[in-house]
Amino acid sequence: SNLLIPCQSPLVSVIGAGNVGRSLAHRIALKNLADVVLLDIVEGLPQGVALDLMEAQSIESHDCQIIGTNDYADTSGSNIVVITAGLARKPGMTRDDLMNVNAKIVVEAAQKAFIYSPDAIFIVITNPLDVMTYLVWQTIKLPPARVMGMAGVLDSSRLQTFIAMELGVLAADVHAMVLGGHGDLMLPLPRYCTVSGVPITELMEEATINRIVERTRNGGAEIVKLLQTGGAYYAPASSACLMIEAILRNQSRLLPTAAYLEGEYGLEDIFLGVPCRLGCRGVESILEVNLTESEKKALQISAHSVRQNVQVALSHLA
Ligand code: TXD
């Protein structure tokens, strides 16, 4: 009978077993979504993290296998490859320095992972997000639907949390949409934020909304300032996990995703955060919502800055 045919779990490979990578592996296992291969350049690190996670398997009663490795051959046949590898900013390093170092790391990771998982969907997390996502796509030349970047889900989740805190409502009842690049130029859209269907513009003063929007823009920096030793990782891992779940379960969820634009929003040949339907084929479609003139302008400015950085990174890689 069909019951006797063993069915293989999906496989997610996470490149970079640092804070985000290991938290993501944990999250995937807790949700029993997929087996996970954690890969890092540091010897012993991914093996240790994977073993530690596996040692909780009986307590958490999931049945995901998590292995750690330094060898891309072990990532073979992944359904999804997530790239979190990279360096954090060190004293004396400019944003450009960081970008050029991470560009090299990310391009190499994409090339090597692609050899072993040519059918995978690639999700990029490494910063600067929109630039790195473009480089991955350009390196492996996949159909654009199969390459995407995670940032919008995190930025929207931050906004949702701040709205919930302000109004004293359940965060899960709040829905928000943040578009544009991941960084100071992101474009939160209060007009499209609701609490159980009620627009927040009906529930909050404009000044309050502006304050919350500003806090969202600086969400990453606020955490870095508190932690001192690195950036956020729990909410980023949860955000990436949501996208992975939407893909593996073919949920067709509408999530803000850094996707390749081919004329949408008047933009071409760029990865930028826009609302996407995520399903088993990756980015199933891009939704073009109506933007006001000033919102369009803000998106253009965000796009311009991403484009400039892509050029810097490409000239450095050449
Ligand atoms: O919204 C978003 N997209 C983001 C992005 C939210 C949070 C973090 N964001 C970015 O993700 C952050 O700015 C970094 O660029 C990445 C990873 O953040 P994380 O906090 O996980 O950084 P860590 O803890 O320093 O981990 C990076 C790991 C570390 O273990 C390195 O040894 C490894 O990457 N690394 C490599 N792995 C494989 N191959 C190579 N070449 C390599 N170089 C470093």
Side-chain angles (χ1 to χ4, degrees):
S1 95
N2 280 342
L3 286 174
L4 297 177
I5 299 171
C7 142
Q8 218 184 338
S9 302
L11 178 63
V12 176
S13 287
V14 180
I15 315 303
N19 281 335
V20 174
R22 64 181 68 176
S23 308
L24 176 58
H26 191 204
R27 192 89 204 106
I28 291 170
L30 292 182
K31 297 204 91 183
N32 223 8
L33 278 179
D35 290 339
V36 180
V37 174
L38 262 175
L39 183 145
D40 203 280
I41 197 164
V42 179
E43 279 174 35
L45 177 84
Q47 291 85 348
V49 169
L51 181 60
D52 190 12
L53 287 167
M54 281 302 282
E55 286 170 357
Q57 200 191 31
S58 66
I59 301 171
E60 308 290 358
S61 19
H62 65 74
D63 56 24
C64 299
Q65 298 299 315
I66 305 164
I67 68 159
T69 184
N70 309 110
D71 181 354
Y72 278 87
D74 294 325
T75 67
S76 197
S78 306
N79 301 84
I80 298 182
V81 172
V82 185
I83 300 181
T84 77
L87 288 194
R89 204 159 148 185
K90 297 216 178 75
M93 256 180 140
T94 67
R95 240 173 238 265
D96 277 356
D97 293 341
L98 181 69
M99 184 171 73
N100 294 330
V101 175
N102 281 354
K104 273 220 170 86
I105 292 174
V106 161
V107 161
E108 190 195 290
Q111 275 165 344
K112 290 188 173 163
F114 181 61
I115 294 172
Y116 295 100
S117 303
D119 299 321
I121 289 170
F122 283 71
I123 303 178
V124 181
I125 298 187
T126 308
N127 271 328
L129 189 272
D130 308 86
V131 179
M132 295 302 135
T133 310
Y134 188 94
L135 296 183
V136 165
W137 171 72
Q138 231 222 10
T139 303
I140 53 184
K141 304 202 165 58
L142 279 181
R146 282 172 43 205
V147 180
M148 67 191 83
M150 185 290 290
V153 173
L154 172 64
D155 296 328
S156 302
S157 175
R158 284 181 173 147
L159 180 54
Q160 284 159 189
T161 297
F162 299 149
I163 292 168
M165 285 172 170
E166 187 69 34
L167 292 174
V169 297
L170 183 73
D173 282 346
V174 184
H175 293 279
M177 202 34 100
V178 176
L179 308 188
H182 182 54
D184 314 343
L185 295 174
M186 72 176 73
L187 179 62
L189 293 176
R191 291 190 301 121
Y192 291 112
C193 297
T194 65
V195 180
S196 298
V198 182
I200 61 158
T201 42
E202 307 261 315
L203 302 169
M204 280 191 251
E205 302 288 335
E206 202 183 324
T208 313
I209 294 176
N210 290 342
R211 175 166 50 77
I212 289 176
V213 160
E214 218 32 52
R215 188 172 179 194
T216 303
R217 279 214 179 89
N218 298 320
E222 186 178 0
I223 302 267
V224 169
K225 198 167 166 219
L226 290 165
L227 294 183
Q228 293 288 320
T229 52
Y233 49 99
Y234 290 120
S238 293
S239 305
C241 193
L242 191 76
M243 295 170 75
I244 290 168
E245 185 177 24
I247 293 166
L248 291 179
R249 300 214 165 125
N250 195 22
Q251 289 173 324
S252 224
R253 285 195 83 157
L254 187 68
L255 298 173
T257 303
Y260 188 70
L261 301 181
E262 295 169 285
E264 296 89 351
Y265 294 93
L267 296 166
E268 256 177 353
D269 194 34
I270 188 168
F271 276 83
L272 206 63
V274 291
C276 295
R277 225 157 39 83
L278 296 191
C280 64
R281 285 173 296 248
V283 176
E284 306 272 350
S285 63
I286 294 173
L287 179 75
E288 277 190 86
V289 295
N290 281 324
L291 297 181
T292 63
E293 284 309 313
S294 73
E295 286 164 352
K296 273 185 204 153
K297 190 126 188 260
L299 201 64
Q300 296 281 350
I301 293 172
S302 185
H304 180 72
S305 138
V306 170
R307 252 189 237 292
Q308 271 185 329
N309 285 329
V310 165
Q311 288 314 319
V312 174
L314 283 176
S315 65
H316 200 264
L317 281 172

